[in-house]
Amino acid sequence: MKKLNFYLSMFLLLSLFSLDSISETINRKRMSELKQNLNSVDVTRIKVTDFSWKNNSKYTLGLFEYVEIQNNSDFDYKDIVLEISVYTADGTLTLLTVPIEGELRAEEKKRFIEIQTPILSFSPDKTSINIVSANLIESEEIFSLKAKNVVDILDFDYVVDNTTTNTIIVNKLTLINRSENSFEELEGTFNFLDTNKRIIKSVRFSLRGVIGAKETKVFKDFNISGAQIDFFSDISYGVSNGKLINPREYLDKGGSKEYVSKNSEFESFSDSPVPNLDLIIKDFVIINQIKSTVGLVDIYLSNTSNYKYKDIVISVGYKNSSGTTLTSKKIKIKDLIQPYSDKNFKSNSLGMIELDFDKLSLSVVSAKMVGEVKPRKKTKFKEKSFSTSKGTVKRMNLEKEKVPDIDSKIIVVESDIKELGSIKVLNTTNYEIFDLILRVDMYDDENSLFKTYEFKVDGSVAPGRETTFRSISFNDSDLQQYVNSEIKIMSGKKAKN
């Protein structure tokens, strides 16, 4: 009996330990996700599921009876901004940006009533709505992640030069970070007070460098301009803002290991996702750089981390023969790269080349980390679906003939299958092309083909111009499984001579 009681006690103890361990893991994952959304909310988990126009008459303020939004995340949001795409009968697109009032709780589906738009220049033939931005609602969790709540000024030694430029000369500014997190781009405010402690003027300041968990840091000998007052009795001051960074970023920007918290909810600093460190451009080859055509470049990337990344943003610098940067832009690779792997991303569009250049410089700016995905069984059979894009210009009674080698004449410039259902193509010929048939091969997280869509576009692509086909319909269950795709131009027609 004593043995039985002992085993029961041990079983209960181990069960409690296991539950605590699971709970701790869940909390750490939640906090890690929260931190990644703090600086820029990932709106892909907030979806418009339904809407209904109440008034969409021409030359009036548009009004939706309701817009229904589903929050598939664990967090509460406010300040949601909609991007409303409205189309004329011939497919002309106008974008409307509309902020909506109210809050959206975690895992909530909510109808926002009476949403007003700007004046409509036409009565829409077709409408689609996407979420473009949102802010997290303040909570106890978020409170501890804001620099203004956890970074304090301990000491402030200054002189105000009233005789010349009214500049504040700061001899020493001492900050303490009372949190387990790291910050950069700290900003603060000096408030100049009169004898009744009322604010006469406020002057903002910013600090270069980083501050780590529980770190006390001294900034010396810098100036703050803009005081421009003849008299004040006292100064109050405080930190007002700062960008949350993870431990790897903190160390990479000159921080000390001494101030990397072992209790940080980010995973260990050697294993935190930092795309611009994890993704390395090993090589690139310019495929096309002819002026007034679409530039193309192959980019060979290496992922040195154990994270999957997608939507990789690359900064492109256009340089002359002496190495001077003429201009720069950003491009996005919407494909996926697996952990600890190399991949050659081919024929990435640089957009229309508007100037002559001799060479390029490339660097990784950012990327989206792909969360854990449950393994899926490989599909044994390829299934074809057909969908027709609406809102295009129809040409009646026009004799047409098939365009030979269509895939070399129509180039897929970019696409957003999952979020916008859009595909942008470029017509490289000097004639109009009609009746395009596109094929989209969908691949899952194991890079296995699981679905093929073919759809016909009953419209045209003007010579030498780019055209975007939007709101292409894909099955929701396929989009959930979808990770990347390959898009092929199957056929097209031109006017018969």
Side-chain angles (χ1 to χ4, degrees), residues 296-333:
L296 298 172
V297 61
D298 289 352
I299 302 175
Y300 188 51
L301 275 178
S302 178
N303 184 359
T304 62
S305 75
N306 65 340
Y307 291 94
K308 289 188 288 187
Y309 286 107
K310 67 174 183 177
D311 293 349
I312 304 160
V313 178
I314 306 288
S315 176
V316 181
Y318 297 81
K319 297 188 175 185
N320 59 20
S321 57
S322 63
T324 303
T325 300
L326 304 172
T327 186
S328 62
K329 67 184 297 185
K330 292 177 182 176
I331 63 172
K332 182 183 285 188
I333 301 174

mmCIF file of all heavy atoms in Angstrom, residues 296-333:
data_model
loop_
_atom_site.group_PDB
_atom_site.id
_atom_site.type_symbol
_atom_site.label_atom_id
_atom_site.label_comp_id
_atom_site.label_asym_id
_atom_site.label_seq_id
_atom_site.Cartn_x
_atom_site.Cartn_y
_atom_site.Cartn_z
ATOM 1 N N LEU A 296 15.736 42.057 -64.631
ATOM 2 C CA LEU A 296 15.643 40.734 -64.018
ATOM 3 C C LEU A 296 16.977 40.365 -63.397
ATOM 4 O O LEU A 296 18.037 40.643 -63.965
ATOM 5 C CB LEU A 296 15.236 39.680 -65.052
ATOM 6 C CG LEU A 296 13.861 39.849 -65.713
ATOM 7 C CD1 LEU A 296 13.700 38.842 -66.839
ATOM 8 C CD2 LEU A 296 12.743 39.679 -64.688
ATOM 9 N N VAL A 297 16.939 39.717 -62.238
ATOM 10 C CA VAL A 297 18.162 39.311 -61.558
ATOM 11 C C VAL A 297 17.936 37.978 -60.862
ATOM 12 O O VAL A 297 16.886 37.743 -60.270
ATOM 13 C CB VAL A 297 18.624 40.396 -60.553
ATOM 14 C CG1 VAL A 297 17.577 40.645 -59.481
ATOM 15 C CG2 VAL A 297 19.958 40.027 -59.908
ATOM 16 N N ASP A 298 18.916 37.073 -60.976
ATOM 17 C CA ASP A 298 18.922 35.835 -60.198
ATOM 18 C C ASP A 298 19.665 36.102 -58.894
ATOM 19 O O ASP A 298 20.757 36.693 -58.903
ATOM 20 C CB ASP A 298 19.641 34.714 -60.957
ATOM 21 C CG ASP A 298 18.857 34.218 -62.159
ATOM 22 O OD1 ASP A 298 17.701 34.642 -62.315
ATOM 23 O OD2 ASP A 298 19.412 33.421 -62.939
ATOM 24 N N ILE A 299 19.080 35.682 -57.768
ATOM 25 C CA ILE A 299 19.698 35.922 -56.460
ATOM 26 C C ILE A 299 19.899 34.588 -55.754
ATOM 27 O O ILE A 299 18.945 33.825 -55.561
ATOM 28 C CB ILE A 299 18.828 36.858 -55.598
ATOM 29 C CG1 ILE A 299 18.605 38.194 -56.314
ATOM 30 C CG2 ILE A 299 19.487 37.100 -54.240
ATOM 31 C CD1 ILE A 299 17.662 39.136 -55.595
ATOM 32 N N TYR A 300 21.143 34.315 -55.372
ATOM 33 C CA TYR A 300 21.492 33.062 -54.698
ATOM 34 C C TYR A 300 21.618 33.342 -53.204
ATOM 35 O O TYR A 300 22.529 34.036 -52.761
ATOM 36 C CB TYR A 300 22.796 32.514 -55.267
ATOM 37 C CG TYR A 300 23.155 31.126 -54.782
ATOM 38 C CD1 TYR A 300 22.228 30.090 -54.843
ATOM 39 C CD2 TYR A 300 24.406 30.851 -54.273
ATOM 40 C CE1 TYR A 300 22.545 28.818 -54.412
ATOM 41 C CE2 TYR A 300 24.748 29.575 -53.837
ATOM 42 C CZ TYR A 300 23.807 28.564 -53.910
ATOM 43 O OH TYR A 300 24.124 27.300 -53.471
ATOM 44 N N LEU A 301 20.652 32.823 -52.420
ATOM 45 C CA LEU A 301 20.589 33.095 -50.985
ATOM 46 C C LEU A 301 20.963 31.870 -50.169
ATOM 47 O O LEU A 301 20.683 30.733 -50.558
ATOM 48 C CB LEU A 301 19.175 33.510 -50.582
ATOM 49 C CG LEU A 301 18.764 34.976 -50.729
ATOM 50 C CD1 LEU A 301 17.313 35.138 -50.309
ATOM 51 C CD2 LEU A 301 19.647 35.884 -49.908
ATOM 52 N N SER A 302 21.552 32.117 -49.001
ATOM 53 C CA SER A 302 21.847 31.061 -48.038
ATOM 54 C C SER A 302 21.151 31.394 -46.728
ATOM 55 O O SER A 302 21.290 32.504 -46.197
ATOM 56 C CB SER A 302 23.354 30.951 -47.818
ATOM 57 O OG SER A 302 23.652 29.951 -46.856
ATOM 58 N N ASN A 303 20.386 30.449 -46.201
ATOM 59 C CA ASN A 303 19.723 30.605 -44.906
ATOM 60 C C ASN A 303 20.548 29.865 -43.863
ATOM 61 O O ASN A 303 20.614 28.634 -43.866
ATOM 62 C CB ASN A 303 18.297 30.045 -44.969
ATOM 63 C CG ASN A 303 17.528 30.267 -43.674
ATOM 64 O OD1 ASN A 303 18.049 30.815 -42.704
ATOM 65 N ND2 ASN A 303 16.277 29.839 -43.653
ATOM 66 N N THR A 304 21.174 30.608 -42.954
ATOM 67 C CA THR A 304 22.067 30.006 -41.959
ATOM 68 C C THR A 304 21.363 29.691 -40.645
ATOM 69 O O THR A 304 22.014 29.316 -39.677
ATOM 70 C CB THR A 304 23.249 30.953 -41.688
ATOM 71 O OG1 THR A 304 22.745 32.194 -41.145
ATOM 72 C CG2 THR A 304 24.028 31.251 -42.957
ATOM 73 N N SER A 305 20.038 29.852 -40.607
ATOM 74 C CA SER A 305 19.291 29.668 -39.366
ATOM 75 C C SER A 305 18.404 28.427 -39.434
ATOM 76 O O SER A 305 18.308 27.777 -40.469
ATOM 77 C CB SER A 305 18.405 30.894 -39.094
ATOM 78 O OG SER A 305 17.276 30.885 -39.954
ATOM 79 N N ASN A 306 17.728 28.140 -38.311
ATOM 80 C CA ASN A 306 16.781 27.027 -38.301
ATOM 81 C C ASN A 306 15.348 27.519 -38.461
ATOM 82 O O ASN A 306 14.404 26.876 -38.022
ATOM 83 C CB ASN A 306 16.912 26.206 -37.007
ATOM 84 C CG ASN A 306 16.529 27.005 -35.778
ATOM 85 O OD1 ASN A 306 16.519 28.238 -35.835
ATOM 86 N ND2 ASN A 306 16.233 26.344 -34.680
ATOM 87 N N TYR A 307 15.191 28.682 -39.103
ATOM 88 C CA TYR A 307 13.872 29.235 -39.379
ATOM 89 C C TYR A 307 13.607 29.248 -40.875
ATOM 90 O O TYR A 307 14.515 29.472 -41.681
ATOM 91 C CB TYR A 307 13.747 30.666 -38.845
ATOM 92 C CG TYR A 307 13.735 30.744 -37.350
ATOM 93 C CD1 TYR A 307 14.910 30.972 -36.644
ATOM 94 C CD2 TYR A 307 12.552 30.573 -36.630
ATOM 95 C CE1 TYR A 307 14.902 31.029 -35.267
ATOM 96 C CE2 TYR A 307 12.541 30.636 -35.254
ATOM 97 C CZ TYR A 307 13.721 30.868 -34.572
ATOM 98 O OH TYR A 307 13.714 30.922 -33.211
ATOM 99 N N LYS A 308 12.346 29.026 -41.239
ATOM 100 C CA LYS A 308 11.921 29.216 -42.618
ATOM 101 C C LYS A 308 11.544 30.684 -42.803
ATOM 102 O O LYS A 308 10.941 31.294 -41.924
ATOM 103 C CB LYS A 308 10.712 28.328 -42.947
ATOM 104 C CG LYS A 308 11.030 26.863 -43.050
ATOM 105 C CD LYS A 308 9.844 26.063 -43.574
ATOM 106 C CE LYS A 308 8.744 25.951 -42.544
ATOM 107 N NZ LYS A 308 7.660 25.045 -42.984
ATOM 108 N N TYR A 309 11.880 31.238 -43.964
ATOM 109 C CA TYR A 309 11.553 32.630 -44.249
ATOM 110 C C TYR A 309 10.831 32.742 -45.587
ATOM 111 O O TYR A 309 11.055 31.943 -46.504
ATOM 112 C CB TYR A 309 12.814 33.490 -44.309
ATOM 113 C CG TYR A 309 13.451 33.776 -42.963
ATOM 114 C CD1 TYR A 309 14.640 33.155 -42.593
ATOM 115 C CD2 TYR A 309 12.871 34.671 -42.066
ATOM 116 C CE1 TYR A 309 15.231 33.418 -41.363
ATOM 117 C CE2 TYR A 309 13.448 34.941 -40.839
ATOM 118 C CZ TYR A 309 14.632 34.310 -40.496
ATOM 119 O OH TYR A 309 15.202 34.575 -39.283
ATOM 120 N N LYS A 310 9.967 33.763 -45.667
ATOM 121 C CA LYS A 310 9.315 34.101 -46.931
ATOM 122 C C LYS A 310 9.238 35.619 -47.028
ATOM 123 O O LYS A 310 9.644 36.338 -46.117
ATOM 124 C CB LYS A 310 7.902 33.499 -47.010
ATOM 125 C CG LYS A 310 6.912 34.108 -46.012
ATOM 126 C CD LYS A 310 5.516 33.560 -46.249
ATOM 127 C CE LYS A 310 4.519 34.227 -45.285
ATOM 128 N NZ LYS A 310 3.140 33.778 -45.512
ATOM 129 N N ASP A 311 8.699 36.122 -48.142
ATOM 130 C CA ASP A 311 8.550 37.568 -48.366
ATOM 131 C C ASP A 311 9.846 38.307 -48.031
ATOM 132 O O ASP A 311 9.874 39.218 -47.204
ATOM 133 C CB ASP A 311 7.392 38.126 -47.526
ATOM 134 C CG ASP A 311 6.047 37.602 -47.976
ATOM 135 O OD1 ASP A 311 5.992 36.990 -49.055
ATOM 136 O OD2 ASP A 311 5.064 37.775 -47.250
ATOM 137 N N ILE A 312 10.916 37.899 -48.695
ATOM 138 C CA ILE A 312 12.250 38.438 -48.410
ATOM 139 C C ILE A 312 12.412 39.769 -49.148
ATOM 140 O O ILE A 312 12.306 39.838 -50.371
ATOM 141 C CB ILE A 312 13.336 37.442 -48.860
ATOM 142 C CG1 ILE A 312 13.101 36.082 -48.182
ATOM 143 C CG2 ILE A 312 14.722 37.972 -48.540
ATOM 144 C CD1 ILE A 312 13.783 34.925 -48.869
ATOM 145 N N VAL A 313 12.658 40.833 -48.389
ATOM 146 C CA VAL A 313 12.813 42.170 -48.970
ATOM 147 C C VAL A 313 14.302 42.451 -49.182
ATOM 148 O O VAL A 313 15.107 42.350 -48.258
ATOM 149 C CB VAL A 313 12.196 43.248 -48.062
ATOM 150 C CG1 VAL A 313 12.418 44.632 -48.663
ATOM 151 C CG2 VAL A 313 10.703 42.992 -47.874
ATOM 152 N N ILE A 314 14.646 42.793 -50.428
ATOM 153 C CA ILE A 314 16.028 43.052 -50.813
ATOM 154 C C ILE A 314 16.172 44.522 -51.200
ATOM 155 O O ILE A 314 15.372 45.053 -51.966
ATOM 156 C CB ILE A 314 16.450 42.183 -52.015
ATOM 157 C CG1 ILE A 314 16.203 40.693 -51.738
ATOM 158 C CG2 ILE A 314 17.905 42.436 -52.385
ATOM 159 C CD1 ILE A 314 17.127 40.071 -50.754
ATOM 160 N N SER A 315 17.196 45.184 -50.644
ATOM 161 C CA SER A 315 17.524 46.546 -51.061
ATOM 162 C C SER A 315 18.464 46.476 -52.262
ATOM 163 O O SER A 315 19.478 45.777 -52.223
ATOM 164 C CB SER A 315 18.199 47.305 -49.918
ATOM 165 O OG SER A 315 18.601 48.603 -50.347
ATOM 166 N N VAL A 316 18.117 47.185 -53.324
ATOM 167 C CA VAL A 316 18.895 47.163 -54.564
ATOM 168 C C VAL A 316 19.465 48.551 -54.820
ATOM 169 O O VAL A 316 18.714 49.524 -54.938
ATOM 170 C CB VAL A 316 18.025 46.731 -55.765
ATOM 171 C CG1 VAL A 316 18.856 46.679 -57.038
ATOM 172 C CG2 VAL A 316 17.363 45.386 -55.494
ATOM 173 N N GLY A 317 20.789 48.638 -54.878
ATOM 174 C CA GLY A 317 21.451 49.901 -55.197
ATOM 175 C C GLY A 317 21.976 49.873 -56.628
ATOM 176 O O GLY A 317 22.682 48.931 -57.013
ATOM 177 N N TYR A 318 21.625 50.892 -57.418
ATOM 178 C CA TYR A 318 22.078 50.982 -58.810
ATOM 179 C C TYR A 318 23.304 51.899 -58.840
ATOM 180 O O TYR A 318 23.226 53.060 -58.426
ATOM 181 C CB TYR A 318 20.981 51.556 -59.706
ATOM 182 C CG TYR A 318 19.746 50.686 -59.777
ATOM 183 C CD1 TYR A 318 18.778 50.727 -58.771
ATOM 184 C CD2 TYR A 318 19.543 49.821 -60.838
ATOM 185 C CE1 TYR A 318 17.643 49.929 -58.826
ATOM 186 C CE2 TYR A 318 18.416 49.019 -60.909
ATOM 187 C CZ TYR A 318 17.469 49.080 -59.892
ATOM 188 O OH TYR A 318 16.356 48.284 -59.958
ATOM 189 N N LYS A 319 24.435 51.388 -59.334
ATOM 190 C CA LYS A 319 25.696 52.132 -59.269
ATOM 191 C C LYS A 319 26.287 52.356 -60.659
ATOM 192 O O LYS A 319 26.064 51.563 -61.579
ATOM 193 C CB LYS A 319 26.698 51.376 -58.397
ATOM 194 C CG LYS A 319 26.253 51.226 -56.946
ATOM 195 C CD LYS A 319 27.348 50.643 -56.080
ATOM 196 C CE LYS A 319 26.925 50.625 -54.617
ATOM 197 N NZ LYS A 319 28.006 50.165 -53.721
ATOM 198 N N ASN A 320 27.047 53.455 -60.766
ATOM 199 C CA ASN A 320 27.767 53.710 -62.016
ATOM 200 C C ASN A 320 29.136 53.046 -61.960
ATOM 201 O O ASN A 320 29.474 52.348 -60.998
ATOM 202 C CB ASN A 320 27.871 55.212 -62.297
ATOM 203 C CG ASN A 320 28.604 55.958 -61.180
ATOM 204 O OD1 ASN A 320 29.347 55.356 -60.397
ATOM 205 N ND2 ASN A 320 28.403 57.261 -61.114
ATOM 206 N N SER A 321 29.961 53.275 -62.969
ATOM 207 C CA SER A 321 31.250 52.598 -63.067
ATOM 208 C C SER A 321 32.205 52.964 -61.938
ATOM 209 O O SER A 321 33.085 52.182 -61.577
ATOM 210 C CB SER A 321 31.898 52.909 -64.423
ATOM 211 O OG SER A 321 32.027 54.317 -64.587
ATOM 212 N N SER A 322 32.044 54.155 -61.352
ATOM 213 C CA SER A 322 32.921 54.574 -60.251
ATOM 214 C C SER A 322 32.426 54.103 -58.887
ATOM 215 O O SER A 322 33.057 54.366 -57.867
ATOM 216 C CB SER A 322 33.058 56.100 -60.252
ATOM 217 O OG SER A 322 31.789 56.706 -60.015
ATOM 218 N N GLY A 323 31.280 53.419 -58.867
ATOM 219 C CA GLY A 323 30.758 52.888 -57.615
ATOM 220 C C GLY A 323 29.791 53.797 -56.889
ATOM 221 O O GLY A 323 29.314 53.475 -55.806
ATOM 222 N N THR A 324 29.467 54.941 -57.482
ATOM 223 C CA THR A 324 28.516 55.874 -56.878
ATOM 224 C C THR A 324 27.093 55.358 -57.058
ATOM 225 O O THR A 324 26.709 54.963 -58.160
ATOM 226 C CB THR A 324 28.639 57.278 -57.510
ATOM 227 O OG1 THR A 324 29.978 57.745 -57.356
ATOM 228 C CG2 THR A 324 27.668 58.256 -56.843
ATOM 229 N N THR A 325 26.319 55.355 -55.969
ATOM 230 C CA THR A 325 24.930 54.895 -56.048
ATOM 231 C C THR A 325 24.067 55.960 -56.710
ATOM 232 O O THR A 325 23.978 57.093 -56.229
ATOM 233 C CB THR A 325 24.389 54.580 -54.653
ATOM 234 O OG1 THR A 325 25.188 53.543 -54.063
ATOM 235 C CG2 THR A 325 22.950 54.099 -54.724
ATOM 236 N N LEU A 326 23.456 55.604 -57.830
ATOM 237 C CA LEU A 326 22.608 56.532 -58.572
ATOM 238 C C LEU A 326 21.219 56.615 -57.960
ATOM 239 O O LEU A 326 20.638 57.693 -57.835
ATOM 240 C CB LEU A 326 22.507 56.081 -60.036
ATOM 241 C CG LEU A 326 23.847 55.903 -60.776
ATOM 242 C CD1 LEU A 326 23.605 55.269 -62.136
ATOM 243 C CD2 LEU A 326 24.546 57.248 -60.916
ATOM 244 N N THR A 327 20.680 55.463 -57.609
ATOM 245 C CA THR A 327 19.365 55.394 -56.966
ATOM 246 C C THR A 327 19.252 54.026 -56.310
ATOM 247 O O THR A 327 20.095 53.151 -56.512
ATOM 248 C CB THR A 327 18.223 55.601 -57.989
ATOM 249 O OG1 THR A 327 16.968 55.672 -57.292
ATOM 250 C CG2 THR A 327 18.150 54.445 -58.967
ATOM 251 N N SER A 328 18.233 53.847 -55.511
ATOM 252 C CA SER A 328 18.021 52.546 -54.863
ATOM 253 C C SER A 328 16.528 52.275 -54.754
ATOM 254 O O SER A 328 15.709 53.197 -54.818
ATOM 255 C CB SER A 328 18.665 52.517 -53.482
ATOM 256 O OG SER A 328 18.087 53.484 -52.631
ATOM 257 N N LYS A 329 16.180 51.014 -54.617
ATOM 258 C CA LYS A 329 14.787 50.615 -54.447
ATOM 259 C C LYS A 329 14.758 49.294 -53.711
ATOM 260 O O LYS A 329 15.804 48.678 -53.471
ATOM 261 C CB LYS A 329 14.095 50.499 -55.799
ATOM 262 C CG LYS A 329 14.621 49.356 -56.661
ATOM 263 C CD LYS A 329 13.974 49.326 -58.034
ATOM 264 C CE LYS A 329 12.506 49.091 -57.992
ATOM 265 N NZ LYS A 329 11.884 48.940 -59.316
ATOM 266 N N LYS A 330 13.576 48.859 -53.359
ATOM 267 C CA LYS A 330 13.419 47.577 -52.682
ATOM 268 C C LYS A 330 12.561 46.652 -53.530
ATOM 269 O O LYS A 330 11.596 47.086 -54.161
ATOM 270 C CB LYS A 330 12.778 47.765 -51.297
ATOM 271 C CG LYS A 330 13.687 48.486 -50.310
ATOM 272 C CD LYS A 330 12.992 48.722 -48.986
ATOM 273 C CE LYS A 330 13.894 49.481 -48.030
ATOM 274 N NZ LYS A 330 13.217 49.803 -46.761
ATOM 275 N N ILE A 331 12.937 45.380 -53.551
ATOM 276 C CA ILE A 331 12.145 44.365 -54.230
ATOM 277 C C ILE A 331 11.801 43.274 -53.218
ATOM 278 O O ILE A 331 12.459 43.158 -52.175
ATOM 279 C CB ILE A 331 12.878 43.767 -55.444
ATOM 280 C CG1 ILE A 331 14.163 43.030 -54.996
ATOM 281 C CG2 ILE A 331 13.201 44.846 -56.460
ATOM 282 C CD1 ILE A 331 14.831 42.263 -56.118
ATOM 283 N N LYS A 332 10.781 42.508 -53.512
ATOM 284 C CA LYS A 332 10.367 41.450 -52.591
ATOM 285 C C LYS A 332 10.375 40.103 -53.304
ATOM 286 O O LYS A 332 9.816 39.952 -54.381
ATOM 287 C CB LYS A 332 8.975 41.730 -52.027
ATOM 288 C CG LYS A 332 8.501 40.667 -51.010
ATOM 289 C CD LYS A 332 7.096 40.941 -50.534
ATOM 290 C CE LYS A 332 7.048 42.088 -49.563
ATOM 291 N NZ LYS A 332 5.703 42.241 -48.939
ATOM 292 N N ILE A 333 11.038 39.126 -52.665
ATOM 293 C CA ILE A 333 10.989 37.743 -53.126
ATOM 294 C C ILE A 333 9.918 37.042 -52.316
ATOM 295 O O ILE A 333 10.069 36.863 -51.102
ATOM 296 C CB ILE A 333 12.349 37.037 -52.934
ATOM 297 C CG1 ILE A 333 13.443 37.764 -53.708
ATOM 298 C CG2 ILE A 333 12.262 35.578 -53.375
ATOM 299 C CD1 ILE A 333 14.834 37.226 -53.447
#
